[in-house]
Amino acid sequence: MTTKQLISEIKKKQSFLCIGLDVDLNKIPKYLLQEEDPIFAFNKAIIDATHHLCVAYKPNTAFYEAYGIKGWKALEKTINYINENHPEIFTIADAKRGDIGNTSTMYAKAFFEDLSFDSVTVAPYMGKDSVEPFLAFKNKHTILLALTSNQGAFDFQTKEVNGKELYKQVLETSKTWESSENLMYVVGATKAEYLAEIRNIIPESFLLVPGVGAQGGNLQDVCKYGMNDSVGLLINSSRGIIYASNGADFALMAAQKGKQLQVQMAEVLSKQFQ
Amino acid sequence: MTTKQLISEIKKKQSFLCIGLDVDLNKIPKYLLQEEDPIFAFNKAIIDATHHLCVAYKPNTAFYEAYGIKGWKALEKTINYINENHPEIFTIADAKRGDIGNTSTMYAKAFFEDLSFDSVTVAPYMGKDSVEPFLAFKNKHTILLALTSNQGAFDFQTKEVNGKELYKQVLETSKTWESSENLMYVVGATKAEYLAEIRNIIPESFLLVPGVGAQGGNLQDVCKYGMNDSVGLLINSSRGIIYASNGADFALMAAQKGKQLQVQMAEVLSKQFQ
């Protein structure tokens, strides 16, 4: 999917919501465990109930790998279901991969070709030749970790490197890489005030923003500091939506929570893009 | 496996060789492609031919994920084959994972419980709460990326953070984390001269050293600067061993290449630990 198509979907749905499909078998409704593939059954119900409210789905691969081959199958079924039924929805493999050149190419093939995701999250620690193999795929997007929403972000990401925080160094350096137009960035919502400075470095890029809701980030602040002329934001909510209820009404309640966020987003968009 | 058991195996086998099982279907002997599971068939032959020469096997997960469910099955069969037939061999899932707390726990379960690996490689970018969930598993080891062997290592890892290179900051900070006795580190052989300084920071820890052979690193230099009183080194070779031949003699040639390295290692050990 091209960035243009993504922006067009955002305008059409009046939403820049990404729903994180982080399925934990301990948290889903008990009765689903009787299904042949409980993870996929859960995802299908969530997707059926929320696809009109969001522009992206983001399964975190850890939650699938933890269940071995069954989990990997559920991931494959989930991405296929989205691509077949809602090809207009942007898909993110939240995998946080990154390895030396030829190995990153294998990861890129896994997510872009074998699983047909539109994008994958990648860790920057190993530098240019670990990221460029992902960037080489046309109309696919590489979402680089810049400033994450967890406490550990302060261990290294915010430390000064040559007089500049490491995450800013990551933003600036990565801009110079080949096919950097395929880059997006992960920036946690819990640090909304950082967004203004981030926008100075990467005015055009899309930001994937986790941490609104469960982790304490505020939607209005994120939009105030992070939005650009093309919206430029995907706001992710995982637990806050998919675990809104663990009863038989889980999909309905997920849609309700999703709708609340979408309405707030529509309001912001109507003010910014009249 | 405990570190003590690993050291004991090193002494017994007179080897600190780790063999990287990075199986690329384009590089293995053509006739193996007729097998039901060519990846496992290749690995089994390599393992049967080399298990007496090495103390560790390290499949890089990228090479398995690239083949989807078939690849994941081949990974599962490979680790099971090693654990059943050679339980004394240390196993490394070279996965370079790392995510926020609860998600890292899912990855740890995937590799330590579902697949029963002894260790997993982890990227440090997200800090303490992304690594500690791995460290919490008893008698399992977390191999943190410090200084990698690729060119991109110079993009961020060697940049100065508060007057000290980032990779040194990673070493020092990670030492303070809970259960840090379960930490090992990835340090590329192409920068052997860095090893002396690294040993000042982490005198006791095991180092997993890629880059000997194919990437230009030198075994003698690595041992000179990196060895400690408990050996403290696992030297990895992947392509240099497993692709020594792509004919019917591939396993035999792999054993020959492995043997060359093991002999050199035995020589070093006999000098250092008389």
Side-chain angles (χ1 to χ4, degrees):
Chain A
M1 183 183 293
T2 65
T3 310
K4 220 171 170 176
Q5 287 171 314
L6 173 61
I7 297 168
S8 150
E9 275 304 304
I10 290 174
K11 301 276 172 76
K12 197 165 125 195
K13 283 182 168 167
Q14 288 289 294
S15 169
F16 40 98
L17 177 62
C18 172
I19 297 181
L21 300 172
D22 303 348
V23 187
D24 183 338
L25 291 182
N26 295 316
K27 290 188 183 158
I28 70 174
K30 290 280 168 286
Y31 72 90
L32 284 179
L33 300 178
Q34 295 156 14
E35 297 273 337
E36 200 199 322
D37 184 341
I39 300 177
F40 177 66
F42 179 82
N43 280 346
K44 184 179 174 301
I46 294 283
I47 293 163
D48 289 345
T50 60
H51 64 86
H52 58 297
L53 301 168
C54 66
V55 293
Y57 284 114
K58 179 178 78 64
N60 187 309
T61 54
F63 289 81
Y64 300 83
E65 289 179 27
Y67 300 110
I69 287 161
K70 275 187 192 171
W72 203 261
K73 273 187 187 161
L75 179 64
E76 191 175 89
K77 279 160 81 179
T78 300
I79 181 69
N80 289 345
Y81 187 76
I82 299 169
N83 283 339
E84 279 160 25
N85 296 281
H86 310 288
E88 76 287 359
I89 291 187
F90 188 72
T91 52
I92 303 168
D94 194 1
K96 301 189 175 71
R97 299 297 199 262
D99 208 312
I100 58 170
N102 65 328
T103 312
S104 273
T105 301
M106 296 307 264
Y107 278 129
K109 281 185 183 170
F111 293 108
F112 293 153
E113 291 183 351
D114 188 64
L115 290 171
S116 288
F117 275 95
D118 292 312
S119 67
V120 62
T121 58
V122 170
Y125 192 72
M126 294 179 69
K128 174 173 161 154
D129 56 348
S130 72
V131 181
E132 282 189 344
F134 291 96
L135 294 173
F137 285 71
K138 215 185 154 184
N139 293 336
K140 299 288 185 179
H141 305 264
T142 303
I143 311 182
L144 200 63
L145 301 186
L147 185 63
T148 56
S149 59
N150 62 322
Q151 191 56 34
F154 298 104
D155 283 330
F156 308 117
Q157 296 167 26
T158 58
K159 289 280 189 294
E160 289 217 350
V161 176
N162 300 342
K164 192 178 292 165
E165 293 97 324
L166 176 60
Y167 76 91
K168 288 187 188 166
Q169 193 74 50
V170 167
L171 296 174
E172 294 210 340
T173 305
S174 63
K175 271 168 62 175
T176 67
W177 293 342
E178 183 137 358
S179 306
S180 63
E181 68 277 10
N182 295 333
L183 275 174
M184 300 180 173
Y185 297 91
V186 173
V187 179
T190 42
K191 299 161 192 89
E193 67 274 26
Y194 290 65
L195 280 163
E197 288 179 58
I198 288 171
R199 273 296 174 216
N200 284 333
I201 307 173
I202 42 155
E204 312 283 346
S205 308
F206 256 83
L207 307 180
L208 171 64
V209 185
V212 166
Q215 291 173 62
N218 176 297
L219 179 68
Q220 275 70 33
D221 283 350
V222 171
C223 294
K224 182 175 160 192
Y225 297 111
M227 200 164 258
N228 67 13
D229 292 346
S230 316
V231 187
L233 291 174
L234 289 172
I235 306 270
N236 183 72
S237 177
S238 303
R239 287 167 283 169
I241 290 181
I242 67 173
Y243 299 132
S245 158
N246 67 356
D249 63 345
F250 73 98
L252 194 72
M253 292 301 291
Q256 232 174 67
K257 289 283 178 186
K259 182 75 189 168
Q260 283 172 14
L261 279 168
Q262 184 271 320
V263 167
Q264 291 179 50
M265 289 174 179
E267 210 170 300
V268 174
L269 290 173
S270 73
K271 280 184 198 153
Q272 296 272 339
F273 301 91
Q274 295 169 352
Chain B
M1 183 184 291
T2 65
T3 310
K4 221 171 169 177
Q5 287 171 313
L6 173 61
I7 297 167
S8 150
E9 275 304 305
I10 290 173
K11 302 276 173 77
K12 198 164 123 193
K13 284 182 168 168
Q14 289 289 294
S15 168
F16 40 98
L17 177 63
C18 172
I19 297 181
L21 300 172
D22 304 348
V23 187
D24 183 337
L25 292 182
N26 295 315
K27 290 188 183 158
I28 69 175
K30 289 280 165 288
Y31 72 90
L32 283 179
L33 300 177
Q34 296 155 13
E35 296 276 337
E36 199 199 323
D37 184 342
I39 300 176
F40 177 66
F42 179 81
N43 281 345
K44 185 179 174 301
I46 294 283
I47 293 162
D48 289 346
T50 60
H51 64 87
H52 58 295
L53 301 167
C54 66
V55 293
Y57 284 113
K58 179 178 77 64
N60 186 308
T61 54
F63 289 81
Y64 300 83
E65 290 179 27
Y67 300 110
I69 287 161
K70 274 188 192 170
W72 204 260
K73 273 188 188 162
L75 179 63
E76 192 175 88
K77 279 159 80 176
T78 300
I79 180 68
N80 289 345
Y81 186 76
I82 299 169
N83 283 339
E84 278 159 25
N85 296 282
H86 310 288
E88 76 287 359
I89 291 188
F90 187 72
T91 53
I92 303 169
D94 194 1
K96 301 187 175 69
R97 298 298 198 263
D99 208 311
I100 58 171
N102 65 327
T103 312
S104 272
T105 301
M106 296 306 264
Y107 278 130
K109 280 185 182 172
F111 292 108
F112 293 154
E113 291 183 350
D114 187 65
L115 291 172
S116 288
F117 275 94
D118 291 312
S119 67
V120 61
T121 57
V122 171
Y125 191 71
M126 294 179 71
K128 174 173 161 152
D129 57 347
S130 72
V131 182
E132 282 188 345
F134 291 96
L135 295 173
F137 285 71
K138 217 186 152 185
N139 292 336
K140 299 286 185 180
H141 306 264
T142 303
I143 311 181
L144 200 63
L145 302 185
L147 184 63
T148 56
S149 58
N150 62 322
Q151 190 57 33
F154 297 104
D155 282 330
F156 307 118
Q157 296 167 25
T158 57
K159 289 279 189 294
E160 288 216 350
V161 176
N162 301 343
K164 191 178 293 166
E165 292 96 325
L166 176 61
Y167 76 91
K168 288 188 187 165
Q169 193 74 50
V170 167
L171 296 173
E172 295 210 339
T173 303
S174 63
K175 269 169 60 175
T176 67
W177 294 342
E178 185 137 358
S179 306
S180 63
E181 68 276 10
N182 294 333
L183 276 174
M184 299 181 173
Y185 297 92
V186 172
V187 179
T190 43
K191 299 161 194 89
E193 68 274 24
Y194 290 67
L195 279 164
E197 289 178 59
I198 288 171
R199 273 293 174 218
N200 284 334
I201 306 173
I202 43 157
E204 311 283 345
S205 309
F206 256 83
L207 308 180
L208 172 63
V209 185
V212 166
Q215 291 174 61
N218 177 297
L219 179 68
Q220 275 69 32
D221 284 350
V222 170
C223 294
K224 182 177 164 190
Y225 297 111
M227 200 165 258
N228 68 13
D229 291 347
S230 316
V231 187
L233 291 174
L234 289 172
I235 307 268
N236 183 73
S237 177
S238 304
R239 286 167 285 170
I241 290 180
I242 66 172
Y243 300 131
S245 157
N246 66 356
D249 63 344
F250 73 97
L252 193 73
M253 290 303 290
Q256 229 173 72
K257 289 283 177 187
K259 183 76 190 166
Q260 284 172 13
L261 279 167
Q262 185 270 321
V263 167
Q264 291 178 51
M265 289 174 179
E267 210 169 301
V268 174
L269 290 173
S270 74
K271 278 184 200 157
Q272 295 273 337
F273 301 91
Q274 293 167 352

